[in-house]
Amino acid sequence: MAKLFEHEGKRALALRGMSVPRGRVVKDPDEARVAAIELGGQAVVKAQVWDTDRARRGGIRFVTTPNEARAAADEIFASKALGQRVESVLVEERLEVAREFYIGAAVDDRVRRLVLLFSALGGSGIEGRKESVLRLPVSVRREPTRQELRHELLAREMLEAELEEKLLAALLILYRTARETEARSIEINPLAWTSDRRLVALDCRLSVDDYAVFRHPELGIEIAREFGHVPTPLERIAWAVERDDYRGTFYFVELVEAREGDGIPIGFHGAGGGGAMASMDAAVRVGLRPLNYADTSGNPAASKVYRAARIILAQPGIKGYFLSGSGVASQEQFHLARALVKAFREEGIRVPAVLRLGGNGEELAAKIMARFARSARAPVETYRKEQSAEFCAQRLRALIEEDRSAPVSAEGPTFEVPPPSRPYRFRTRTGWITYDHAACAKCETKACVIECVPQILKLVDGLPVLAISEEEAARGRCIECLACEVECWMQGAGGGRVELPIPGLDEFGLPAEDQSKKEATGIAQGAKTTRSEMTHEGTGKWPF
């Protein structure tokens, strides 16, 4: 599911006629003070996080002056008690509440229907009053009638006529919101009956089916994933990769709570569901501390795995890289190996890596990684499914403790290389492929043509060119297997290059002023050679 913040859920309700408190979202304490002034001084300051226990944790503060609002917002933004980063707070008017109700709607998989929920005992602690919640299964094709709602949900409460009519209207708005946003669940708790006889949604939790997000740009959902925290910059970068490429799955989440703790911090790369989770458990058992959970599965393109590896390596503070999965994956392991070679080369990998490969083509994959390991700056060991995940995790720990990696210079690796002198270039589904025909003319193996998995290349006058149209390559006939770059480097003259942009990654971790400088000089737009645009000059060596 994709969760919306409270203010986003309230906006969806308000657009359909529900009353919500006056207020606005702010990003810093000074804005909170201004918002409180606009509300007359008294206000409620509420952390915008996905936490049903935020009030107890100090995430909701009642204030009586603008200065108190500023101080409350400052404390909320700095708080660690909420267990996640707070990027915004909602500053709302305070209301006098006479009575609190609970209303909700959720998809019940047991009855395969949307179910409306109602309780006359709303407010905090509703989870402990489940017996008070009434249920009404409804159809998404036919709106429930007022009579149905009255009879099934409200009849036993003996409500005054005005309140009952407003509750019926609120239930219909809730139903319409759930249906129109394709919600998996929506809750208003409390739905407040105020002293001035208004029915107002004081809180809202709305979760949308992730497969439906693309149909609802109006909701402004940034990431169609269910995180327990506000998405981090790297998670946003990773989601953009997954969102724009349907080939296989790339799931990435940073384990924020693991930033502090025992064990050696590592980047974790799973390759297949349950096997990935078991491998992560194995890493923890031997004293490693994964800073992330990542999984590339479902037969992803090599280009997608490459981007995943680059993102995992971008995490600050990791001391090693651990890849492991089920050992019996149906996805082609040589695609995974070429993706890792490209990522490790571009990063100039300086931390030990242990890879456990298993599945189709694992023999070739192991050979590819072994060839790369001979010139890598840091130890890279590859094992196959015969070795357990725990054994491989122990090997990574041993390599880290031996610390045989090349020292990291203050400036990091340099990849300044001249552009191709005779470029032949075409677009792929998510990037570009360039051959330097000047280097290709010296190549004896023509490895790029031989190793091309979809066999879309041919030789013309001894030079590699497309055997299909450029349009077909861009539409996906080129599967971005990366053989044309990796095998060209390993076997040929080094004239092949695959450019696969990862928006935001080159700027990740830079101070704001450096990001601005980079954009101003055009580096972010490719005005100069970046790591993802590397080539070399037919020497068969890479400038590690």
Side-chain angles (χ1 to χ4, degrees):
M1 295 185 289
K3 293 182 179 180
L4 277 72
F5 290 113
E6 173 192 0
H7 70 275
E8 295 170 326
K10 284 179 172 176
R11 182 173 65 241
L13 291 169
L15 288 172
R16 292 163 176 85
M18 182 75 75
S19 293
V20 299
R22 292 183 299 120
R24 64 185 176 94
V25 178
V26 301
K27 299 287 187 180
D28 64 58
D30 290 329
E31 283 188 80
R33 181 179 181 278
V34 173
I37 292 173
E38 295 168 353
L39 295 171
Q42 294 195 8
V44 187
V45 182
K46 308 169 81 174
Q48 295 303 280
V49 293
W50 299 309
D51 187 345
T52 58
D53 201 25
R54 60 180 172 166
R56 186 182 66 82
R57 296 170 182 264
I60 299 178
R61 309 288 183 89
F62 294 88
V63 300
T64 57
T65 68
N67 286 338
E68 286 183 12
R70 188 194 184 285
D74 192 37
E75 292 176 7
I76 289 172
F77 281 123
S79 174
K80 294 185 178 180
L82 292 166
Q84 54 187 287
R85 189 177 71 259
V86 180
E87 291 190 344
S88 62
V89 300
L90 177 60
V91 183
E92 286 188 330
E93 64 176 326
R94 292 181 64 173
L95 300 172
E96 292 186 18
V97 178
R99 188 171 180 182
E100 293 180 336
F101 299 92
Y102 166 89
I103 63 173
V107 175
D108 188 329
D109 293 331
R110 291 173 300 175
V111 298
R112 298 183 180 183
R113 300 181 79 179
L114 185 69
V115 176
L116 291 180
L117 308 168
F118 171 80
S119 173
L121 303 175
S124 60
I126 186 65
E127 297 85 357
R129 300 188 294 275
K130 292 180 180 179
E131 69 283 351
S132 73
V133 179
L134 302 177
R135 297 163 50 91
L136 174 60
V138 294
S139 170
V140 294
R141 295 186 176 89
R142 182 185 67 81
E143 184 172 288
T145 66
R146 285 175 172 257
Q147 180 59 31
E148 289 172 325
L149 296 173
R150 182 182 290 111
H151 182 266
E152 298 293 334
L153 300 179
L154 305 183
R156 76 179 189 181
E157 296 301 326
M158 304 297 290
L159 301 166
E160 58 180 292
E162 181 186 7
L163 176 54
E164 182 179 89
E165 285 302 310
K166 289 186 176 180
L167 280 170
L168 290 171
L171 284 164
L172 286 171
I173 291 172
L174 182 86
Y175 168 84
R176 292 164 189 159
T177 304
R179 185 182 64 183
E180 292 168 11
T181 62
E182 301 183 70
R184 291 286 299 181
S185 68
I186 179 171
E187 295 180 295
I188 301 175
N189 186 39
L191 177 63
W193 180 240
T194 65
S195 58
D196 58 355
R197 306 185 71 78
R198 292 187 296 143
L199 202 58
V200 183
L202 294 191
D203 196 2
C204 177
R205 300 191 178 277
L206 174 59
S207 296
V208 176
D209 190 311
D210 58 354
Y211 287 112
V213 167
F214 76 97
R215 289 191 289 269
H216 298 283
E218 77 282 0
L219 296 176
I221 296 173
E222 181 182 14
I223 297 180
R225 285 262 168 81
E226 185 174 357
F227 291 127
H229 56 261
V230 177
T232 67
L234 269 183
E235 287 167 347
R236 291 184 169 104
I237 293 169
W239 169 247
V241 172
E242 171 69 1
R243 179 196 62 208
D244 297 336
D245 191 346
Y246 64 86
R247 299 169 297 175
T249 297
F250 168 38
Y251 183 85
F252 175 87
V253 59
E254 289 192 86
L255 305 178
V256 180
E257 67 281 1
R259 286 292 165 191
E260 299 177 0
D262 297 329
I264 302 171
I266 63 165
F268 177 77
H269 187 162
M277 290 186 281
S279 297
M280 188 165 173
D281 289 342
V284 173
R285 284 196 298 272
V286 304
L288 302 175
R289 175 162 48 95
L291 299 187
N292 71 283
Y293 175 81
D295 184 20
T296 52
S297 56
N299 210 23
S303 56
K304 195 168 188 175
V305 178
Y306 153 81
R307 290 181 168 104
R310 286 281 311 277
I311 290 168
I312 293 167
L313 286 168
Q315 297 175 104
I318 64 171
K319 302 297 184 183
Y321 189 103
F322 183 40
L323 181 143
S324 179
S326 65
V328 290
S330 61
Q331 57 200 35
E332 305 292 1
Q333 298 297 288
F334 50 81
H335 288 329
L336 186 153
R338 287 170 178 148
L340 293 176
V341 168
K342 179 173 171 60
F344 289 176
R345 288 171 62 202
E346 293 184 5
E347 289 295 327
I349 186 169
R350 296 174 181 273
V351 297
V354 171
L355 319 172
R356 179 173 177 262
L357 305 176
N360 294 348
E362 63 182 80
E363 298 87 354
L364 176 56
K367 290 178 181 178
I368 291 170
M369 294 310 308
R371 280 185 291 175
F372 166 74
R374 290 195 289 269
S375 60
R377 277 180 164 169
V380 177
E381 292 186 358
T382 302
Y383 299 93
R384 291 162 61 181
K385 58 178 176 286
E386 290 78 12
Q387 299 294 344
S388 69
E390 189 150 343
F391 169 84
C392 294
Q394 289 171 336
R395 282 300 306 145
L396 179 59
R397 174 162 186 156
L399 292 174
I400 294 171
E401 290 174 342
E402 290 173 14
D403 193 24
R404 292 189 288 107
S405 304
V408 179
S409 68
E411 298 181 356
T414 299
F415 297 112
E416 294 292 340
V417 292
S421 57
R422 289 175 56 197
Y424 173 80
R425 182 174 170 87
F426 59 89
R427 182 178 288 280
T428 66
R429 191 180 181 280
T430 68
W432 289 86
I433 292 178
T434 302
Y435 294 106
D436 184 354
H437 278 175
C440 296
K442 305 171 186 176
C443 178
E444 297 179 358
T445 65
K446 311 303 180 187
C448 60
V449 177
I450 296 170
E451 301 291 347
C452 175
V453 175
Q455 292 293 287
I456 60 168
L457 298 174
K458 64 181 180 180
L459 292 173
V460 174
D461 297 329
L463 302 174
V465 297
L466 279 173
I468 60 175
S469 69
E470 292 187 7
E471 292 76 14
E472 288 178 296
R475 285 200 302 268
R477 286 285 302 279
C478 171
I479 64 172
E480 298 176 332
C481 67
L482 307 185
C484 54
E485 177 178 312
V486 173
E487 299 302 330
C488 184
W489 168 64
M490 289 181 168
Q491 303 182 44
R497 181 180 67 193
V498 184
E499 300 168 40
L500 299 169
I502 311 174
L505 190 62
D506 280 342
E507 295 76 37
F508 173 74
L510 292 177
E513 60 271 20
D514 289 349
Q515 292 186 29
S516 300
K517 185 186 301 182
K518 190 170 187 179
E519 292 172 0
T521 56
I523 296 178
Q525 288 74 35
K528 293 185 179 179
T529 301
T530 65
R531 285 182 295 186
S532 62
E533 297 173 327
M534 295 187 301
T535 186
H536 70 88
E537 302 170 273
T539 62
K541 302 290 184 181
W542 200 255
F544 285 135

